[in-house]
Amino acid sequence: MSTFRATVYVPLAELTHQNSQLLDVYAENQLFGETVLDEKAMDKNWNFVAAPLRDAGLYSEGLQVVSALRKLNLKPSFWAVYQRVKKYAWLDNQRLHAGNHHIENCEGNSAQLGLAIALLLNASASPIRYAIATGSLSLDKHKDFDIAIAAVANVPEKLDLLIEKRQANALPDLPLYCFTPTHYKFQGELHPVVDLAQVKQLAALNITVKPIAWLSEAVKLLKADSTRCLKQDKWANGILGVMGSVCAAALLYRTWVYYPIPIKILAGKHLAEPFLVCTNRDNSAVSYNDLARDGSTPIMPLFAAENSAYNVGIGWIVQPEKTPFSQQYYVAFIHLGEQTGYKLIAKQPDNAADITVVANEVLKWYWPMQETAAKQIMY
Amino acid sequence: MRKFVWVPVVSLGREATGQFLEIMSEPTLMGGINMNALKNCGFNKNIAHIEAVLTQLSVKPSSAKLYLTGFLVNLSNTQGVNLGLLIACFMQAPACPYQKIIVTGNLDTEKLTVTDAVNFEAKIQTLLNLGKQAEPIAFFFPRVMLNENNAALLAPLAAMNIRLKPIDSLWDVLVDFGLTQVTEDA
């Protein structure tokens, strides 16, 4: 269960002021199965979010509120990764509760607005922890991303109750918003709430009555237009973080292993016999082809892996039809220097810069060679 | 794109008459039709009927998730919801030109014909209460209701930007949604 709680007070009143009471409703984030009620709700096919309201007789109101709230377009916070996949997780992970009251004597659906605001406050990063609301969600007017608020009865009596409770210090000693419909029902007619004398009295008691026609107006006032991170978001972030770290480590390792090695192409000073070393990309097949002229002894091929731990290939892809090899090979001319040991010696074109080669990869620089050109280009 | 089907309901057990059930359809990448969010709202039998119809139809709807965003509990008669739910399943068809539609009528879930609509006059009154719409809304209703008695009732709807779409069966709707390959023996 979360330690974060926002409470919405719903005034319930009748004309006779009997059974008037202040119902406090709140919502909490819960994972499925955290309470026994979830299992019971699953067995009974109850809605998980509204199921705790059954004891208070508000289940059907809660059910309609939960359904209607899906129309709102709350944006997930930047780090809410899970909510980008499960769009309504902010709603489905909540459980509505209704204090310890039992309100079977009170009729109507004026608690719907309070339940909706309780869900919104809990889902969002709104700084407001307490609010007051009375009103019902309407099916008469439609907007794609909003919910209309319908008039309810006994609003003056409810505001009277709030004044009484405020004066008795039964409400939090904070500035409070009291959300109401723009109109209230009285004797079958609609009257504007803003004209009630109680509105000014409540303003003097630091309770601002806000008549609203659409729920989005309350969302805007409560700064509840984006959802906060859930536990699942934190888990998803953790998993993504670990995966990202592994990928970053692998990338760093690859960068370290394959970092470019500058190679100077040295001018050959000593006579050497050319020897053709051909290798494919993964060095699984290496062939040696003696290019020495008749009568000379071929030198040992320089096989880079034995000496410098880097396989260096120079050349171009030999066209299969021009070579006896069935595969495409990279061709390198290796010279053995008498004094400098194993060296890669090649003639550098006049316009070529220093050549760099990446370990375990093939040098990209090459020069064209005819079969008969070996003698010309080698020292 | 979020799409809506409104089903006018009048036969309420508890509340005043003249409201709409609102079914919201949102596209999903895969998974066919997901009606889990509709369950436990008093329409489980309707959902079971629709699922049975969908499995037998050769025309498969695009993947979508359905929600009941506006509904009333304790409806005494939920027969009219079947057609609305079934049409909502096909609202995400790529060629479906509508973003909002209103549907009423009793669906024969075996023949897929739309027979009649209970309390049709009251439902038309519910539509009239909507007032003029900024964007055109299609109103699918049984063709059998298009008679002289109802003509005067239906006439003002055109001026309210509500387009009348009389239908005989579900196939009429599917063809209107751009599923032109549909044949009755499908």
Side-chain angles (χ1 to χ4, degrees):
Chain A
M1 294 200 186
S2 66
T3 54
F4 182 90
R5 179 182 290 184
T7 303
V8 178
Y9 297 97
V10 180
L12 304 169
E14 295 176 357
L15 283 172
T16 57
H17 285 264
Q18 290 177 342
N19 296 323
S20 295
Q21 55 182 317
L22 205 56
L23 174 73
D24 58 304
V25 295
Y26 60 92
E28 283 184 333
N29 282 338
Q30 278 182 22
L31 297 178
F32 175 75
E34 273 191 337
T35 62
V36 180
L37 187 60
D38 279 349
E39 294 172 17
K40 189 175 179 182
M42 192 162 70
D43 288 342
K44 301 277 187 183
N45 284 334
W46 294 339
N47 179 281
F48 296 123
V49 182
L53 292 176
R54 294 189 79 87
D55 289 342
L58 284 170
Y59 175 73
S60 63
E61 312 303 332
L63 189 57
Q64 292 176 67
V65 168
V66 171
S67 300
L69 280 189
R70 294 186 200 279
K71 286 183 77 176
L72 289 184
N73 194 24
L74 297 192
K75 294 172 186 171
S77 68
F78 180 78
W79 295 106
V81 177
Y82 179 76
Q83 290 181 61
R84 292 176 199 278
V85 181
K86 295 282 285 183
K87 190 176 175 184
Y88 297 108
W90 65 270
L91 184 59
D92 296 330
N93 273 39
Q94 297 195 64
R95 301 291 181 268
L96 274 169
H97 299 272
N100 294 319
H101 301 273
H102 198 282
I103 57 161
E104 64 180 350
N105 292 329
C106 293
E107 295 179 352
N109 46 15
S110 62
Q112 286 184 354
L113 180 58
L115 293 170
I117 289 176
L119 286 168
L120 286 170
L121 285 178
N122 186 56
S124 69
S126 169
I128 295 171
R129 300 291 85 207
Y130 299 98
I132 304 165
T134 181
S136 68
L137 307 186
S138 171
L139 301 177
D140 292 337
K141 297 177 185 173
H142 297 267
K143 278 188 184 177
D144 288 1
F145 296 95
D146 212 343
I147 304 156
I149 307 300
V152 291
N154 302 335
V155 171
E157 292 75 18
K158 289 169 182 171
L159 297 184
D160 282 338
L161 176 67
L162 288 177
I163 293 168
E164 181 188 320
K165 293 288 181 184
R166 185 60 144 179
Q167 288 170 342
N169 291 326
L171 289 169
D173 190 17
L174 294 166
L176 296 172
Y177 281 123
C178 174
F179 295 100
T180 67
T182 53
H183 293 76
Y184 67 95
K185 293 177 190 171
F186 182 67
Q187 294 180 343
E189 291 184 359
L190 294 178
H191 302 273
V193 171
V194 74
D195 292 346
L196 289 170
Q198 289 91 335
V199 173
K200 287 180 182 174
Q201 294 176 43
L202 283 167
L205 294 170
N206 222 358
I207 295 177
T208 310
V209 177
K210 288 282 181 186
I212 53 172
W214 296 91
L215 189 59
S216 60
E217 296 170 32
V219 171
K220 194 175 175 182
L221 271 173
L222 296 169
K223 298 173 185 169
D225 53 355
S226 67
T227 62
R228 62 192 171 102
C229 281
L230 303 171
K231 276 183 185 174
Q232 291 91 327
D233 291 311
K234 291 170 186 170
W235 293 342
N237 290 346
I239 291 168
L240 286 178
V242 170
M243 288 170 64
S245 302
V246 170
C247 290
L251 190 64
L252 282 173
Y253 176 75
R254 189 186 185 283
T255 308
W256 176 67
V257 169
Y258 290 91
Y259 79 98
I261 304 167
I263 294 179
K264 283 275 187 185
I265 303 297
L266 304 175
K269 293 179 181 177
H270 305 278
L271 186 63
E273 294 296 338
F275 195 93
L276 181 63
V277 180
C278 298
T279 174
N280 61 2
R281 284 183 183 277
D282 58 359
N283 289 333
S284 61
V286 179
S287 297
Y288 312 109
N289 191 13
D290 182 14
L291 296 180
R293 291 179 292 274
D294 290 342
S296 62
T297 305
I299 57 175
M300 285 294 293
L302 172 63
F303 195 38
E306 297 171 1
N307 299 285
S308 64
Y310 293 111
N311 296 323
V312 177
I314 300 178
W316 68 102
I317 297 173
V318 176
Q319 298 300 320
E321 63 273 15
K322 292 182 180 178
T323 68
F325 310 120
S326 59
Q327 298 182 53
Q328 291 186 334
Y329 285 88
Y330 291 88
V331 180
F333 285 89
I334 310 295
H335 277 195
L336 178 66
E338 286 181 353
Q339 295 179 353
T340 55
Y342 293 121
K343 285 288 180 183
L344 179 65
I345 302 171
K347 184 175 181 180
Q348 186 175 6
D350 295 339
N351 58 348
D354 287 347
I355 295 170
T356 59
V357 65
V358 173
N360 291 332
E361 287 190 358
V362 174
L363 191 65
K364 301 299 181 189
W365 180 79
Y366 68 93
W367 71 95
M369 187 192 76
Q370 304 296 328
E371 285 186 16
T372 57
K375 186 178 176 182
Q376 299 169 12
I377 63 171
M378 309 307 294
Y379 290 97
Chain B
M1 183 186 186
R2 185 179 271 196
K3 296 190 172 186
F4 293 92
V5 175
W6 294 345
V7 182
V9 285
V10 292
S11 52
L12 301 177
R14 170 181 140 184
E15 290 287 341
T17 60
Q19 300 202 56
F20 289 99
L21 295 183
E22 187 176 61
I23 305 163
M24 184 172 80
S25 163
E26 286 189 335
T28 53
L29 289 177
M30 59 184 81
I33 293 294
N34 185 333
M35 289 193 274
N36 288 339
L38 271 65
K39 290 177 179 171
N40 310 328
C41 297
F43 302 103
N44 287 5
K45 284 184 181 176
N46 304 77
I47 293 166
H49 277 127
I50 298 310
E51 285 175 340
V53 171
L54 283 176
T55 50
Q56 291 180 13
L57 275 178
S58 61
V59 184
K60 297 301 173 193
S62 304
S63 291
K65 196 161 186 177
L66 303 188
Y67 302 94
L68 265 172
T69 49
F71 67 98
L72 298 164
V73 291
N74 300 327
L75 284 177
S76 61
N77 174 15
T78 63
Q79 265 200 322
V81 182
N82 286 346
L83 184 61
L85 280 175
L86 194 53
I87 290 177
C89 295
F90 288 92
M91 280 290 277
Q92 295 296 339
C96 173
Y98 307 109
Q99 200 252 335
K100 284 177 197 161
I101 59 170
I102 303 169
V103 175
T104 188
N106 287 344
L107 178 73
D108 184 327
T109 51
E110 290 184 1
K111 299 175 184 173
L112 299 184
T113 53
V114 182
T115 52
D116 61 346
V118 181
N119 291 330
F120 189 70
E121 295 82 2
K123 287 173 181 172
I124 298 299
Q125 191 57 50
T126 307
L127 265 65
L128 292 171
N129 292 341
L130 275 176
K132 186 166 184 177
Q133 297 298 303
E135 295 173 2
I137 300 180
F139 173 41
F140 293 92
F141 62 97
R143 192 182 296 276
V144 292
M145 306 309 292
L146 199 60
N147 52 36
E148 289 181 5
N149 294 337
N150 295 325
L153 269 173
L154 290 167
L157 293 178
M160 291 167 50
N161 222 357
I162 295 175
R163 295 175 182 172
L164 303 182
K165 300 273 184 181
I167 54 172
D168 291 317
S169 71
L170 178 70
W171 304 112
D172 294 340
V173 181
L174 297 185
V175 170
D176 205 1
F177 281 7
L179 297 164
T180 51
Q181 302 302 319
V182 171
T183 56
E184 291 207 15
D185 59 350

